[in-house]
Amino acid sequence: MNESSLSPGSEAEDSSPAFRYDASLAEEIEVEWQRRWLEEGTYQAANPLGPLSSQEVDTRPKLFVMDMFPYPSGSGLHVGHPLGYIGTDVFARYKRMVGYNVLHTMGYDAFGLPAEEHARQTGEHPRSNTENNIANMQRQLDRLGLGHDKRRSIATTDVSYYRWTQWIFLQIFQSWYDTEVNRARPISELEDLLSSGARATSDGRPWAEMDETEKRRELDHWRLAYLGDAPVNWCPALGTVLANEEVTSEGRSERGNHPVFRRPMKQWMMRITAYADRLLEDLERLDWTDSIKTMQRNWIGRSEGAQIGFETSSGSKIEVFTTRPDTLFGTTAMVLAPEHPLVDALTAKTWPEDTPPLWRGNAETPGEAVDNYRRKVSDLTDLERQENQAKTGVYIGAHCAVPVNGHRVPIFIADYVLMGYGTGAVMSVPGQDQRDWDFAKAFEIEIIRTVEPPSTFEGEAYAGDGAAINSGFLNGLHIDDAKRAITDWLEREGHGLRTVTYKLRDWLFSRQRYWGEPFPIVYDDTGLALAVPENQLPVELPELIDWAPRTLDEESDPEPPLGRATEWAVATYDLGDGELPYTRELNTMPQWAGSCWYYLRYLDPNNEERFVDPMVERYWMTDSDGGVGGVDLYVGGVEHAVLHLLYARFWHKVLFDLGHVSGPEPFQRLYNQGYIQAAAYQDQRGIYVDAEDVVESGGEYFYEESPVTRTFGKMGKSLKNSVTPDDMYSAYGADTLRLYEMFMGPLDQDRPWETKSVIGSHRLLQRVWRNLIDESTGAVTVVDTAPSDSLKRILHRTIAAVGEAMEGLRFNSAIARITELNNELSRRAEPVSREVARALVLMLGPLVPHIAEELWKRLGNSNSIVHEQFPAAQPDFLVDESVELPVQVNGKVRSRIVVESGLEEEALRGAALSDPRIEELLRGKEIRKVIVIQDRLVNIVAS
RNA sequence: GCCCGGAUGGCGGAAUGGCAGACGCAGAGGGCUUAAAACCCUCCGUUCCUAACGGAGCGUGUGGGUUCGAAUCCCACUCCGGGCACCA
């Protein structure tokens, strides 16, 4: 920017100097530099090859910094949204200045329910609505001066992007999980194994005896993406099924809070359970917070135990899963989930003679009792079931035998046993399990303790460790040994096996929605799925007029909106038998699909041949330090702890197994930014009032003279406490907003927004500007004389501290140190030497790029500050010639001495002991010990 | 209930075994100004002693421990935030 292009401050502010750094000057600087950066491609990151490579071979180390890309909301940004984006921008800019080839860009997660719900309410087509929202959000973000490589930006709704989402789906569809080598392999390899007999088919029938349809059905059985017929979460209000992860623990949809019903339906599933152990184990190799790792571990929910078979009176065997096989001798009942498949066969015709009335559920026959109970249970919502933890159930008139001692125990059905976990059957051991204890109390079932509780134990079921009792050959063994002994016995005698069970279920992957990726799948007259050939991709969404999903009731079936595109729904392909018509899959993919691999497309966004070039992928995703690889820094909210992060890891592992990516994990380092909270005020009726208009007086808050109460919460319309970036741009400029957001506190912590504090960050920039520029003439006041030694020491200590803080993402500390340096310059009230000015401006570069770039230019530099070297601290100036250090007596500071730095221990000890004040305090005391820490302190222990 | 975080002045926070409260906001006093704003300078945890300079005690949620020395490490507890939850 030319100085002449800067107009003096506006008329309204003519009392302030013409070249003061204020909001209007900030805006001029910011808009102009944003224009130039775009024009000059300042933030473009070079690939090692291909269309995005640069002329010269890049020898710098790479760094891939990424934000969780946003859903383009129509309601616009508030100041809380860009916190993480500013954080990654500062870090990326800093790393660029210390020599990295940094890739940083931004995209949009634009498919999915929210876009469609919005479109449904406004009547606007999802695509045009989405595109408008993206444009609006991009405009707001651009004004922040984020240093993104815009050539690499994608939206998941771009046809050129979802073409490859479909391609990846086909990779998964065309694969199976080989548990022998513990990785996914192409389905064609399975076909070879089956036909040669090297692998047995799922039901043991020889491959050669199967006809073509049966062979296809057999292969479908093994695929990583398959059509499952399991109970799914059906949400009639949204007109779609949902993944387990999208349903709250109250049994409602996470989006919209609508009721969700469990119903068996044929839906696309992804075999994520095949990866459960690897998803769990590889967490160890990731630099993520413990809390996120714990959440993923809990979600996967691995538990080790044994599967044990119980012979029933009718001959069939009930399999149970237990983590406590050591308590087998304490089993006094068998409890099945009401939906358990063996219930009908096991239920007796009549009540056995001595059946207690309590067990009969007021029914004439066991069959009637079971029917009644099942009806009662299915009428309960998940919430009611959860709230009411009292144990209910009925006896089904049958018995089974405890394998280890042959005891006959009664079989019940009860809703506290869930069909969806383990085998849907539980050996009830009331002595060691509180749920079983409660059930036993309710039905007057015998209780046998098999672990000796401590004498002080006063509880009911005892789950702690202790010696086994009442347990035959296990007696005296503690839990771990007893488990081992009984499991060995069970395996030897053929009654059970060591087993691992997971809470993780396969991922329900289809949605009855319009605004999502169509499946690249068609069906022929067998009703079996066929892949659309790769060279026929993309399968584009049809332009529908009537795209809105219908709100349905519980009894109805989902109606995919794509079914209304009757012409589209039939397609002609040559799948090996010549051109034939096929019917299309009418479901679409869930929103999570697009976000499972966008980081890979950033690397090579325009590649028409592959989803990403393998060399480019290896360059950006491999860790030269021997780490697990993946994105070097991924910043986003903690709300994606299980959903997005688990799905993306799963897809990445499949791609890794198939040789399409170079490492097993997508995100090496994950960092969760905090949220910006804001004060919200309620009047006496509890109604929220505009936070902007509340005034504080003596610790109380008032709105239009009436007292209001203050709480803190997420910024938004409902709490009437939003502050927009645009408000801040017009009051202070984008650099001030960036600086304030980074100064508020550590990036990973929630923090309360305080508009009145923003002025502090603005003042810093104003003072920096004033230290280098004459506010009334706009002339640079920097001089070419060398700085004094004392100032150089301050400068280099600042450089060292700022560098360290930047590395550790502690931008608040970096800003504090820069402020100290600048305060020192102000205090000295003399022209600033160029050497100091350069370093100061360079350190500000990552934080406030516009003003830094402008000052850099005014200091006489013609190249952009973005690619300059971050200042390096000179070690000579990090130590003072002399240091003042405290002398403690018994741990309390009693004096200070000034000594030359680096003084040896003995000399330091002498100096401390000869200090007059210390001498006086020590008079008449015995010195027991003197602790000397060079350049830090001396502590004298005396009594 | 279980699992993860966290607690430091009026407020946001700094210090990760070595001078607690850096830096900022708010507040007080002063300078400049006819005046106000802006700007600049000084003070600003708390109690006590002193006319003052200074000095002493207390102090990082609570109680204990380790250590010459603890905001920082260990144990127990309280409160706040988040996650999971009839998962056998």
Side-chain angles (χ1 to χ4, degrees), chain A residues 41 167 213 257 263 527 556 613 716 738 840 866 877 915 927:
Chain A
W167 181 84
T213 306
N257 203 34
R263 265 199 26 204
S556 52
D613 182 279
R738 292 173 58 109
L840 174 65
V866 170
F877 290 99
D915 180 76
I927 298 171

Side-chain angles (χ1 to χ4, degrees), chain A residues 360-417:
Chain A
R360 301 187 188 204
N362 296 319
E364 291 298 315
T365 63
E368 188 188 323
V370 167
D371 287 347
N372 289 346
Y373 187 70
R374 281 180 170 165
R375 201 171 312 119
K376 203 175 90 191
V377 167
S378 68
D379 283 347
L380 291 178
T381 65
D382 280 2
L383 182 61
E384 287 166 322
R385 219 168 131 148
Q386 202 173 23
E387 276 179 347
N388 181 13
Q389 302 231 337
K391 296 292 176 284
T392 60
V394 290
Y395 174 53
I396 65 171
H399 287 79
C400 61
V402 179
V404 77
N405 56 13
H407 281 170
R408 261 168 53 90
V409 298
I411 304 173
F412 290 79
I413 58 171
D415 68 348
Y416 84 93
V417 177

Side-chain angles (χ1 to χ4, degrees), chain A residues 168 171 266 287 394 475 511 559 568 592 603 623 650 657 738 750 808 859:
Chain A
I168 294 172
Q171 297 302 305
K266 199 163 206 172
D287 183 9
V394 290
N475 282 344
R511 298 293 182 277
E559 298 173 10
W568 178 88
W592 311 107
L603 306 179
D623 184 355
F650 163 52
D657 286 355
R738 292 173 58 109
D750 291 349
L859 287 175

Side-chain angles (χ1 to χ4, degrees), chain A residues 245 742 798 818:
Chain A
E245 291 83 352
M742 292 301 98
T798 304
I818 293 171

Side-chain angles (χ1 to χ4, degrees), chain A residues 13 17 35 65 74 181 208 469 510 514 579 686 718 737 793 854:
Chain A
E13 293 162 38
R35 189 189 62 73
V65 177
V181 295
I469 51 172
S510 40
Y514 169 72
E579 297 260 327
S718 56
L737 174 63
R793 286 182 210 286
E854 178 68 19

